[in-house]
Amino acid sequence: MTGIVRTAPRYAGSAVTPGLVSRLLTALSIWRERTHLNQLDAHLLRDIGYDRKAADLESRRSVWDAPERWQR
């Protein structure tokens, strides 16, 4: 019986690596979360322990400015 050999996916360009793709997906996720946070109303912000000022400050942060634990 033969086993199945799984390999990493191949990307079109040599400059694109799985690590780069992962970092871009993480940045996109952070951007989406911060955009959605900025759209919440005061009631929902209170539910998660934020006020409008804190939500505005968080939503203006760069996608690269994220805690280490958020990195994949």
Side-chain angles (χ1 to χ4, degrees):
M1 202 179 246
T2 61
I4 297 174
V5 176
R6 296 182 189 259
T7 59
R10 294 180 187 258
Y11 295 94
S14 61
V16 178
T17 63
L20 176 62
V21 171
S22 177
R23 280 185 271 170
L24 289 174
L25 291 174
T26 299
L28 179 62
S29 175
I30 292 169
W31 176 80
R32 284 181 182 156
E33 289 178 18
R34 289 180 175 163
T35 300
H36 291 163
L37 178 67
N38 197 35
Q39 296 171 354
L40 296 177
D41 63 16
H43 171 65
L44 293 174
L45 288 172
R46 270 194 316 272
D47 283 351
I48 61 172
Y50 273 72
D51 60 8
R52 175 53 48 201
K53 183 178 178 181
D56 288 341
L57 287 173
E58 181 67 26
S59 68
R60 281 190 247 136
R61 290 174 63 184
S62 167
V63 296
W64 307 117
D65 183 13
E68 192 66 32
R69 68 181 181 275
W70 287 9
Q71 305 302 317
R72 294 181 187 180

